[in-house]
């Protein structure tokens, strides 16, 4: 039951409204694949790969079955394996670290910049050891990391840079597309991403032809010719039906990203009245974020989230447990307190509803509910009724 006077339901993400708008086109392309029956590495896979490479302003793209696989294959293509170390961040989805682990290498974590929530580049050099082979920056929430600073360090120490762009489809860093800056990059097409499939999917982009060919081999049992296997590969192929759907949706991505930026601007405008109680996201001067998520911070996160839920507003937390505190990664030897900014933010961050079809009135409903919570819990106005 709604207990605080708001009946407007606001989902965190609404995939149905997006698919309804594209239903006819999506059904048509699925039907064509069903008719052709080229379900594995069919024509739509190669066509989508070229279209996505063009979108990312890269020379090559190779589809995979998930963003995690894309990260792993990109690392493997550059020879990352057992005994190696790869530097990444503690504040990320666990797949960033898992992809490193799958190669046999060890994730080495650093803390985050307090403004952008991305990799703190000032901490990278101190994490480098003779075993370090790569840096894996994460473009978290849709905002690119500081790639020039990362590449400068990488070049100095002869390290590979693999961009985790799984949340940054279409973002730009100093005018360059996210994914086009490092040696290679991985994207995820998980359904809720800025460009999402109707299931799992991923892709690697690169400007290096040899890297692209290596990934094509690895994703398909190490084979380019049936029953002839050049390397010990995997079954990590992008599904033809998903590629066909992604081709339809890719044509809308620029418009969807601009809608997300408009929504973020309106959130920032309306929430600025609560500055101090709600800390808004910071967009770096070098970045054009695509706001996969709109993440605020507050010391009253759990209480605010519960209040919004009662008001019919769904939210998320990305992410509540840092990588180094996950049970799966206790073997890395990190302790609570090792990454203080990541740990503090993990207790404060709250993701508000964000998707392209979000409307101004829904954003206003979210902000009004946040305002009511702030008024009700203000030390001065705690005894006053909500508006």
């Amino acid at each position: 039951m709604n207990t605080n006077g708001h009946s407007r339901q606001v989902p965190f993400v609404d995939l149905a409204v997006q698919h309804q708008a594209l239903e006819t086109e999506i059904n048509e392309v699925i039907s064509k694949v069903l008719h052709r029956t080229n379900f594995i590495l069919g024509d739509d896979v190669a066509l989508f790969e070229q279209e996505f490479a063009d979108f990312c302003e890269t020379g090559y793209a190779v589809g995979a079955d998930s963003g995690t696989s894309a990260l792993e294959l990109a690392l493997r293509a550059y020879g990352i394996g057992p005994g190696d170390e790869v530097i990444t961040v503690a504040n990320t989805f666990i797949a960033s670290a898992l992809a490193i682990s799958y190669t046999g290498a060890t994730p080495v974590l650093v803390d985050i910049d307090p403004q952008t929530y991305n990799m703190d580049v000032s901490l990278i050099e101190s994490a480098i050891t003779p075993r370090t082979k790569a840096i894996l920056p994460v473009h978290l929430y849709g905002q690119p990391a500081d790639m020039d600073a990362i590449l400068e360090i990488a070049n100095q120490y002869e390290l590979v840079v693999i961009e985790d762009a799984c949340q940054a489809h279409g973002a730009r860093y100093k005018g360059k597309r996210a994914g086009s800056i490092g040696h290679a990059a991985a994207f995820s097409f998980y359904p809720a991403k800025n460009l999402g499939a109707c299931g799992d999917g991923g892709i690697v982009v690169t400007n290096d032809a040899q890297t692209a060919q290596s990934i094509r081999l690895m994703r398909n049992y190490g084979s380019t010719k049936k029953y002839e296997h050049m390397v010990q590969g995997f079954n990590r192929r992008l599904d033809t039906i998903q590629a066909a759907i992604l081709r339809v949706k890719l044509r809308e991505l620029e418009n969807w990203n601009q809608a997300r930026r408009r929504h973020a601007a309106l959130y920032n405008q309306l929430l600025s009245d609560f500055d101090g109680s709600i800390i808004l996201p910071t967009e770096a001067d070098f970045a054009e974020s695509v706001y996969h998520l709109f993440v605020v911070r507050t010391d009253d996160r759990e209480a605010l989230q519960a209040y919004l839920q009662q008001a019919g507003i769904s939210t998320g937390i990305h992410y509540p447990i840092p990588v180094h505190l996950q049970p799966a990664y206790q073997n890395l030897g990190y302790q609570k307190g090792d990454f203080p900014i990541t740990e503090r933010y993990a207790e404060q961050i709250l993701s508000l509803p964000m998707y392209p079809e979000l409307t101004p009135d829904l954003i206003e409903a979210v902000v009004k509910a946040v305002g009511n919570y702030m008024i009700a819990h203000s030390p001065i106005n705690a005894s006053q009724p909500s508006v």
Side-chain angles (χ1 to χ4, degrees):
M1 180 178 179
N2 188 327
T3 61
N4 49 28
H6 296 285
S7 58
R8 195 69 186 270
Q9 300 292 308
V10 186
F12 179 61
V13 174
D14 191 344
L15 296 179
V17 66
Q18 181 176 102
H19 291 145
Q20 286 166 4
L22 298 173
E23 184 174 6
T24 299
E25 288 182 85
I26 288 175
N27 286 342
E28 285 178 358
V29 298
I30 291 174
S31 179
K32 288 179 180 178
V33 175
L34 294 175
H35 179 74
R36 292 192 298 262
T37 69
N38 57 351
F39 302 119
I40 305 298
L41 296 181
D43 296 342
D44 281 299
V45 174
L47 290 168
F48 174 68
E49 289 172 339
Q50 185 59 59
E51 290 162 2
F52 194 74
D54 292 343
F55 176 84
C56 291
E57 300 168 4
T58 59
Y60 308 93
V62 184
D65 59 352
S66 71
T68 310
S69 290
L71 281 171
E72 179 193 349
L73 294 177
L75 290 164
R76 287 182 179 276
Y78 282 94
I80 308 300
D84 296 335
E85 294 177 350
V86 178
I87 297 171
T88 191
V89 285
N91 180 37
T92 184
F93 182 55
I94 198 170
S96 305
L98 288 175
I100 298 168
S101 299
Y102 293 159
T103 70
T106 300
V108 174
L109 306 178
V110 297
D111 213 340
I112 56 171
D113 178 271
Q115 298 299 315
T116 66
Y117 307 179
N118 280 327
M119 179 177 284
D120 185 337
V121 296
S122 71
L123 302 175
I124 296 174
E125 280 195 88
S126 63
I128 294 173
T129 75
R131 297 172 58 190
T132 306
K133 294 297 188 294
I135 305 173
L136 195 152
V138 180
H139 302 323
L140 197 67
Y141 307 150
Q143 173 163 227
D146 189 354
M147 291 301 297
D148 280 353
I150 293 167
L151 287 169
E152 182 178 349
I153 295 169
N155 291 335
Q156 180 181 348
Y157 290 91
E158 298 183 341
L159 304 176
V160 173
V161 176
I162 305 296
E163 300 173 64
D164 182 340
C166 289
Q167 299 183 2
H169 315 64
R172 290 191 180 274
Y173 172 83
K174 296 183 178 179
K176 299 177 182 178
R177 286 286 198 198
S180 70
I181 307 162
H183 292 83
F187 291 84
S188 165
F189 301 126
Y190 181 79
K193 301 293 187 181
N194 290 39
L195 179 62
C198 295
D200 269 321
I203 205 165
V204 181
V205 299
T206 183
N207 285 309
D208 186 81
Q210 184 175 344
T211 298
Q213 179 59 17
S214 176
I215 294 168
R216 285 193 191 96
L217 276 173
M218 286 189 288
R219 72 159 179 198
N220 188 36
Y221 299 106
S223 174
T224 55
K225 181 180 179 182
K226 196 168 185 178
Y227 303 131
E228 183 176 326
H229 306 274
M230 308 304 294
V231 297
Q232 295 178 15
F234 309 91
N235 180 6
R236 306 280 178 82
R237 301 168 300 208
L238 177 63
D239 184 83
T240 303
I241 287 179
Q242 299 300 343
I245 294 168
L246 288 164
R247 293 187 67 205
V248 172
K249 299 178 82 173
L250 179 59
R251 294 193 286 268
E252 306 296 330
L253 182 54
E254 288 278 30
N255 290 332
W256 289 341
N257 283 342
Q258 289 306 312
R260 287 175 181 270
R261 290 182 58 79
R262 289 193 299 271
H263 301 335
L266 183 57
Y267 267 131
N268 281 322
Q269 175 191 336
L270 297 178
L271 287 169
S272 63
D273 291 341
F274 311 114
D275 190 29
S277 299
I278 294 283
I279 300 173
L280 302 176
T282 299
E283 187 172 59
D285 292 340
F286 54 68
E288 182 178 305
S289 176
V290 289
Y291 289 96
H292 171 58
L293 298 168
F294 188 87
V295 180
V296 300
R297 288 175 26 233
T298 177
D299 289 331
D300 299 327
R301 194 259 309 283
E302 277 74 19
L304 175 58
Q305 185 177 37
Y307 185 93
L308 294 177
Q309 185 63 41
Q310 288 182 332
I313 296 165
S314 297
T315 57
I317 301 174
H318 300 86
Y319 298 94
I321 305 174
V323 172
H324 69 291
L325 298 180
Q326 294 284 353
Y329 275 114
Q330 294 307 292
N331 64 303
L332 295 180
Y334 295 114
Q335 305 294 325
K336 188 172 178 62
D338 284 346
F339 305 107
I341 298 174
T342 291
E343 292 172 24
R344 182 167 74 251
Y345 285 14
E347 297 176 351
Q348 298 174 326
I349 50 179
L350 184 67
S351 302
L352 300 181
M354 173 59 78
Y355 51 95
E357 298 80 13
L358 197 63
T359 58
D361 61 312
L362 291 178
I363 293 173
E364 289 169 3
V366 174
V367 174
K368 185 175 182 180
V370 171
N372 282 342
Y373 173 84
M374 293 299 171
I375 291 171
H377 292 79
S378 166
I380 298 174
N381 301 315
S383 63
Q384 298 182 7
S386 62
V387 296

